[in-house]
Amino acid sequence: MLRIGDEAVVEVTGLRNPCRQIDGFRRGLLKQVVGRDAEGHVRYRAGVMGVVRMGGVVRAGDAISVELPDGPHRALERV
């Protein structure tokens, strides 16, 4: 669970490769989160899916805290 700012809560539900839609938020953003390593393999620097559990105002610079679920933990799967 991610708590963002004073109110917002997002539950991370899976991993996702960023796609072209991310440029709809800010042009050129996809290029910033997808790159290639020294061997030429594609590497993703971002990509998760989540469910908003509680909405709220989120501003640049807001604190984000992470709350792990009760164990046992399992790795997220690609969606």
Side-chain angles (χ1 to χ4, degrees):
M1 204 73 73
L2 302 176
R3 294 192 179 275
I4 308 169
D6 294 329
E7 301 172 331
V9 178
V10 177
E11 178 184 354
V12 177
T13 58
L15 300 176
R16 170 121 184 161
N17 292 340
C19 69
R20 212 180 279 206
Q21 290 178 326
I22 200 168
D23 277 342
F25 294 103
R26 180 173 289 171
R27 186 180 174 124
L29 189 54
L30 182 62
K31 187 175 182 180
Q32 299 300 312
V33 298
V34 178
R36 295 192 178 270
D37 64 16
E39 290 80 38
H41 300 107
V42 175
R43 296 291 180 223
Y44 301 99
R45 295 185 204 103
V48 295
M49 293 182 64
V51 175
V52 175
R53 293 295 181 195
M54 181 178 293
V57 176
V58 175
R59 296 180 180 87
D62 276 354
I64 300 173
S65 63
V66 177
E67 293 180 14
L68 296 176
D70 292 334
H73 298 135
R74 60 183 173 86
L76 292 174
E77 303 272 334
R78 288 211 177 271
V79 178

